Amino acid sequence: MNTEKDFSPLTPNIVRALNDKLYEKRKVAALEIEKLVREFVAQNNSAQIRHVIQILATEFALSQHPHSRKGGLIGLAACSIALGKDSGLYLKELIDPVLTCFNDSDSRLRYYACEALYNIVKVARGAVLPHFNVLFDGLSKLAADPDPNVKSGSELLDRLLKDIVTESNKFDLVAFVPLLRERIYSNNQYARQFIISWIHVLESVPDINLLDYLPEILDGLFQILGDSSKEIRRICEVVLGEFLKEIKKNPSSVKFAEMANILVIHSYDLIQLTSMTWMREFIQLAGRVVLPYSSGILTAVLPCLSYDDRKKSTKEAASACNHSLMKLVTPEDDVDDEESQTKSSPQSDGSPSKKESDLNGKSLICCVLCSSDRPAVTLDLDGIVQVLDRHLHDSSTGMMTRIAVLKWLYHLYIKTPRKMFKHTDSLFPMLLKTLSDESDEVILKDLEVLAEIASSPAGQTDASGSCNNSDSKTELHIPGGVRDGQPVVVGCKVTDLSPSTPSMNSYFYKFMINLLKRFSLERKLLEMRGAFIIRQLCLLLHAENIFHSMADILLKEEDLKFASTMVQTLNTILLTSAELFQLRNQLKDLRTQESCALFCCLYRSWCHNPVATVSLCFLTQNYRHAYDLIQKFGDLEVTVDFLMEVDKLVQLIESPIFTYLRLQLLDVEHNPYLIKALYGLLMLLPQSQAFQLLSHRLSCVPNPELMRTSAYSQPHIDYSELLQHFDRVQSKHLEVRHQRAGRSEHPDRKL
């Protein structure tokens, strides 16, 4: 620096000392400057004060020479000390050159700049608050400084500035938030620690309401929560915890809608528990305000439900979120937008409705939260269904998540059936596929959804009034009811009628067709889960409906082997399952038009399996017809499988289901054809355990000489026509077996 240049009012000695490389000499110069400035203050000579500061800034602090810069910094600090309470009038001139030195490449100079600014701020105290943003910006850079001395100095300055902000009630939060929002996305750990410490301080100041600006910084806070540093995560958790407490205390002032998506975005591993905890509180406090974000919330929540005990807390928080969100969906969400607007319009007299007047407690809080935005709060049904469908299609989805998805679908069909049936055609194939799931609990929930689809009145027609599926024109013709209040009879035959049990919608028949088709394509599913699925459906949709429809469909089945297997499965369920108790009782005595029609419907399909047909006759006490059928067995192809089915029938006769049949053996006079039918089965069996069992049973029958044929009962059924139908079906089976035998080198073995 040119020492000959005029720096008045600074003396040449002061100028030389400020440029000296020794700190002690620069310190002496600073004391002289302090003395000089005090004199100007006493004279109230602001022009000279500004002139001194300008010289120190431009000629020294911003000089190209490092020692001059150091001298300028200590000189500016001396000016501030001399100014005392008046330093606030010159703060911009004092601060700006010092902050410029924060970017100096020399770490010692950065340290001196930090020291100088500390002295300036210490003197000015609250007067620096209008310049807070530039100070904060400079400090945020020093917080990440690689030099430990600089960082230590910045920490002292940082604590001083925090004390000033905490003591003052003039902090301009509105001006500060944009800078905070920008700096919060720093990836540097020290910068993050600096940012989170300031948020913690500001959040603790009673006069500063940072909660109003939380939506602007929440995303950044969750970014910091994912930091690799344990200490930074701990501080961030504390800060978020304090915010959550404030949210619970003042829910009416919280901008829930603006923060809902932020929580959804940050639902990955490192911060999942915090995100789920916040989401749970948001749903419980904000109520229907979060409904528009429900698809995003479910995307975050559903995978967490399948976590194991290692993430138990996250799983529990996610479960609470899921449960609370589900409760928000109500029947009012099934109303069309136009209807919703009409209903949400104010009453003509301006008085509150009864529903509004009855609200109290927490419900009132939710009402206040939602009232201003209520007309705009709509359920994102399309988005929810898309998320649920995606999780069902994903093979990696955990069991508990799949169960939750199915619970959601069931809940939506219950609460919003009209809107949900618009999605049924797209959901239906996946729901059918889910029946092959490994978990029984998943299958049970899946069946509940399918049963609701098949039985809901909303499934009868779509919004235009036409049936809402491709098979809608196919009527379900099933015997077993009364049309127009009168039984329909043609000669001695009962025609096909609608079921007498509660009516199903247009999806019911479609469901039955597709279920049987799935059993046909997946024989393992039929073998392993078929009985379980059908039994549950009988509980959900009424056994008579299930058996009526399946019998009607199987009557037209072209795969005769599958038809026989399916009839055998249905027959076993009918004869053994507790769920079918009422249906068995209905068939036990064919004394009503409905029971006769049900029997005829089942019989026609049961003819695909001769032994099942006989067992149906035993169940319905058609003993003479059973005897007539067994007489025809001599003309059938008796295979090993056939004899195994006869063996099973003998075992069934010994079961509690046929207790009444065994007791009827005592009445030889009135049940001769029962005894003849059983003897017919005995003659079919080889000398086996089943043969011995049935033979022993028949040996207990009273004197056979008492056997006399009696009048043919139940004349209102044309059994001759049923026998002809049996013959026709068995002829088809025989023809198919012969064709199969001609193509195979290993036909069924005959005995």
Side-chain angles (χ1 to χ4, degrees):
M1 176 178 287
N2 184 8
T3 56
E4 301 301 325
K5 188 176 180 180
D6 184 16
F7 292 104
S8 59
L10 298 183
T11 65
N13 289 335
I14 293 175
V15 171
R16 278 194 299 273
L18 286 176
N19 288 316
D20 201 281
K21 65 179 180 178
L22 296 175
Y23 172 75
E24 291 300 328
K25 289 188 177 182
R26 293 197 300 271
K27 186 176 180 182
V28 170
L31 292 173
E32 290 297 322
I33 292 172
E34 180 181 344
K35 181 180 178 182
L36 179 64
V37 172
R38 287 185 189 277
E39 292 177 0
F40 290 146
V41 171
Q43 299 167 7
N44 199 22
N45 192 344
S46 60
Q48 285 289 62
I49 295 172
R50 290 187 188 279
H51 186 52
V52 170
I53 294 173
Q54 183 181 7
I55 292 173
L56 291 171
T58 57
E59 301 297 335
F60 290 89
L62 301 179
S63 169
Q64 297 296 319
H65 196 279
H67 297 314
S68 297
R69 293 200 295 276
K70 295 173 186 176
L73 291 171
I74 197 170
L76 289 170
C79 288
S80 177
I81 294 170
L83 288 167
K85 63 179 181 179
D86 293 331
S87 63
L89 300 172
Y90 310 92
L91 275 177
K92 180 173 174 55
E93 294 92 330
L94 291 168
I95 290 174
D96 285 353
V98 177
L99 289 175
T100 302
C101 292
F102 276 13
N103 299 316
D104 200 285
S105 59
D106 186 347
S107 61
R108 287 181 60 81
L109 206 141
R110 294 197 303 275
Y111 173 78
Y112 285 130
C114 189
E115 185 180 56
L117 189 59
Y118 178 88
N119 288 319
I120 294 170
V121 172
K122 186 177 181 181
V123 171
R125 301 297 293 184
V128 302
L129 289 179
H131 308 277
F132 179 81
N133 277 15
V134 293
L135 295 174
F136 182 88
D137 182 56
L139 269 177
S140 66
K141 297 172 184 175
L142 291 187
D145 199 285
D147 187 273
N149 291 325
V150 175
K151 200 157 38 170
S152 176
S154 71
E155 288 172 358
L156 287 173
L157 176 57
D158 180 54
R159 285 197 291 271
L160 174 61
L161 202 55
K162 284 174 181 173
D163 289 341
I164 293 170
V165 170
T166 303
E167 295 167 0
S168 175
N169 58 1
K170 296 180 180 179
F171 181 73
D172 190 354
L173 184 62
V174 176
F176 173 62
V177 167
L179 178 62
L180 178 61
R181 185 176 60 234
E182 176 190 339
R183 288 287 184 267
I184 203 170
Y185 289 105
S186 172
N187 291 322
N188 183 280
Q189 284 191 352
Y190 296 108
R192 282 182 164 183
Q193 192 166 18
F194 171 76
I195 292 291
I196 197 67
S197 67
W198 265 103
I199 294 175
H200 192 194
V201 168
L202 294 175
E203 201 279 330
S204 64
V205 178
D207 294 331
I208 297 177
N209 187 12
L210 196 56
L211 188 62
D212 287 345
Y213 301 92
L214 184 58
E216 299 187 49
I217 63 172
L218 186 62
D219 179 63
L221 283 172
F222 273 101
Q223 296 252 12
I224 295 175
L225 188 60
D227 195 273
S228 58
S229 167
K230 186 177 180 181
E231 178 62 20
I232 293 175
R233 292 200 306 271
R234 185 192 65 79
I235 299 172
C236 193
E237 285 174 359
V238 171
V239 169
L240 285 168
E242 292 299 320
F243 274 124
L244 196 56
K245 288 179 183 177
E246 288 297 315
I247 288 172
K248 291 179 182 179
K249 289 179 183 177
N250 307 289
S252 59
S253 62
V254 179
K255 301 171 183 176
F256 290 104
E258 297 180 24
M259 294 186 281
N261 270 340
I262 296 173
L263 299 181
V264 171
I265 293 168
H266 293 286
S267 296
Y268 46 86
D269 287 345
L270 284 175
I271 59 176
Q272 210 164 44
L273 176 57
T274 305
S275 175
M276 288 298 150
T277 303
W278 274 64
M279 208 175 291
R280 178 187 63 200
E281 298 297 336
F282 272 33
I283 295 170
Q284 292 175 352
L285 293 171
R288 290 178 60 85
V289 167
V290 301
L291 274 183
Y293 310 95
S294 49
S295 60
I297 293 173
L298 283 176
T299 300
V301 165
L302 288 173
C304 302
L305 300 178
S306 293
Y307 285 169
D308 55 25
D309 287 343
R310 288 174 296 180
K311 295 184 178 180
K312 185 178 180 181
S313 298
T314 304
K315 180 179 179 179
E316 290 174 349
S319 180
C321 285
N322 184 58
H323 181 68
S324 298
L325 186 63
M326 190 178 290
K327 287 169 64 177
L328 297 180
V329 181
T330 63
E332 71 181 78
D333 294 306
D334 204 28
V335 179
D336 292 334
D337 293 339
E338 293 182 3
E339 296 179 46
S340 179
Q341 290 175 5
T342 303
K343 289 185 177 181
S344 63
S345 61
Q347 297 183 17
S348 58
D349 60 358
S351 61
S353 65
K354 183 178 186 300
K355 183 177 180 180
E356 291 170 338
S357 63
D358 287 344
L359 287 171
N360 54 65
K362 190 171 182 179
S363 298
L364 182 58
I365 293 175
C366 289
C367 182
V368 171
L369 287 171
C370 306
S371 59
S372 60
D373 298 329
R374 190 55 176 266
V377 174
T378 55
L379 178 68
D380 179 22
L381 187 62
D382 292 349
I384 290 177
V385 171
Q386 187 178 1
V387 171
L388 298 177
D389 188 47
R390 185 169 66 246
H391 278 86
L392 273 186
H393 276 86
D394 188 354
S395 58
S396 64
T397 300
M399 182 189 74
M400 296 307 297
T401 299
R402 295 198 302 277
I403 292 172
V405 167
L406 293 167
K407 285 182 177 180
W408 259 103
L409 288 172
Y410 181 76
H411 184 70
L412 291 173
Y413 272 108
I414 293 293
K415 299 295 182 182
T416 60
R418 291 168 56 191
K419 290 185 177 179
M420 273 303 294
F421 265 94
K422 297 175 183 177
H423 299 278
T424 299
D425 284 337
S426 61
L427 290 170
F428 204 66
M430 194 60 219
L431 290 171
L432 286 166
K433 186 178 180 181
T434 305
L435 291 175
S436 303
D437 198 275
E438 296 177 354
S439 166
D440 285 352
E441 194 171 352
V442 171
I443 294 175
L444 279 173
K445 294 300 175 187
D446 190 38
L447 288 172
E448 287 182 10
V449 178
L450 287 165
E452 182 59 30
I453 291 174
S455 61
S456 174
Q460 294 289 5
T461 57
D462 60 19
S464 63
S466 59
C467 287
N468 191 26
N469 68 80
S470 57
D471 296 331
S472 60
K473 294 182 180 179
T474 305
E475 288 188 30
L476 179 55
H477 293 296
I478 307 173
V482 178
R483 185 173 293 168
D484 298 329
Q486 297 293 329
V488 180
V489 180
V490 179
C492 294
K493 293 191 296 181
V494 181
T495 62
D496 290 346
L497 308 173
S498 298
S500 59
T501 51
S503 61
M504 300 292 105
N505 64 31
S506 53
Y507 274 95
F508 174 77
Y509 201 62
K510 182 178 182 179
F511 176 27
M512 292 298 105
I513 290 173
N514 281 278
L515 179 60
L516 289 174
K517 187 182 296 183
R518 192 156 198 87
F519 284 152
S520 177
L521 296 174
E522 294 185 42
R523 298 300 173 88
K524 187 176 180 181
L525 175 63
L526 175 60
E527 179 184 345
M528 303 297 294
R529 299 289 181 80
F532 171 71
I533 290 172
I534 293 169
R535 289 201 317 270
Q536 295 304 317
L537 284 176
C538 287
L539 290 174
L540 294 167
L541 291 173
H542 304 284
E544 185 179 348
N545 279 322
I546 301 300
F547 274 75
H548 263 306
S549 57
M550 287 192 170
D552 184 65
I553 296 166
L554 288 171
L555 193 59
K556 308 174 185 72
E557 177 61 50
E558 295 180 358
D559 185 346
L560 299 183
K561 185 174 181 181
F562 167 69
S564 177
T565 303
M566 194 66 222
V567 165
Q568 183 183 8
T569 302
L570 290 171
N571 188 65
T572 302
I573 296 170
L574 176 63
L575 294 178
T576 61
S577 299
E579 294 87 351
L580 276 295
F581 175 79
Q582 187 175 352
L583 188 61
R584 282 197 297 271
N585 281 347
Q586 186 177 344
L587 289 166
K588 194 171 179 181
D589 296 305
L590 300 181
R591 295 180 180 177
T592 65
Q593 185 66 37
E594 289 78 9
S595 61
C596 289
L598 177 59
F599 166 72
C600 290
C601 175
L602 298 182
Y603 182 95
R604 294 176 188 279
S605 289
W606 260 232
C607 287
H608 284 296
N609 189 294
V611 178
T613 312
V614 170
S615 66
L616 179 63
C617 290
F618 281 154
L619 175 65
T620 57
Q621 303 184 65
N622 278 301
Y623 301 136
R624 178 170 178 174
H625 192 66
Y627 171 71
D628 292 338
L629 288 173
I630 292 171
Q631 290 294 306
K632 291 178 174 290
F633 282 7
D635 299 327
L636 301 180
E637 201 170 23
V638 180
T639 64
V640 172
D641 290 338
F642 179 89
L643 289 176
M644 288 177 64
E645 289 180 33
V646 176
D647 189 295
K648 291 178 182 177
L649 176 56
V650 171
Q651 301 293 335
L652 279 172
I653 290 171
E654 294 297 319
S655 71
I657 297 295
F658 282 114
T659 299
Y660 68 93
L661 181 147
R662 297 196 300 274
L663 290 173
Q664 286 173 348
L665 291 174
L666 296 173
D667 190 357
V668 177
E669 182 177 359
H670 292 95
N671 296 293
Y673 287 103
L674 169 58
I675 298 171
K676 286 187 176 185
L678 293 177
Y679 269 109
L681 290 178
L682 188 66
M683 294 304 106
L684 283 170
L685 288 167
Q687 298 287 320
S688 62
Q689 184 178 359
F691 177 89
Q692 298 297 332
L693 186 64
L694 184 55
S695 176
H696 183 68
R697 173 64 64 187
L698 289 171
S699 68
C700 298
V701 175
N703 190 349
E705 293 180 1
L706 298 176
M707 295 170 60
R708 292 193 298 270
T709 59
S710 59
Y712 192 43
S713 61
Q714 298 142 343
H716 55 288
I717 294 180
D718 186 353
Y719 286 97
S720 61
E721 190 276 335
L722 294 179
L723 282 173
Q724 292 172 11
H725 176 75
F726 179 85
D727 289 338
R728 287 194 298 271
V729 173
Q730 289 308 310
S731 295
K732 289 181 182 179
H733 278 271
L734 184 60
E735 182 181 348
V736 170
R737 280 198 293 271
H738 284 168
Q739 290 173 355
R740 190 182 297 120
R743 293 192 301 268
S744 174
E745 297 180 1
H746 303 286
D748 293 341
R749 289 180 293 156
K750 299 180 182 179
L751 295 181

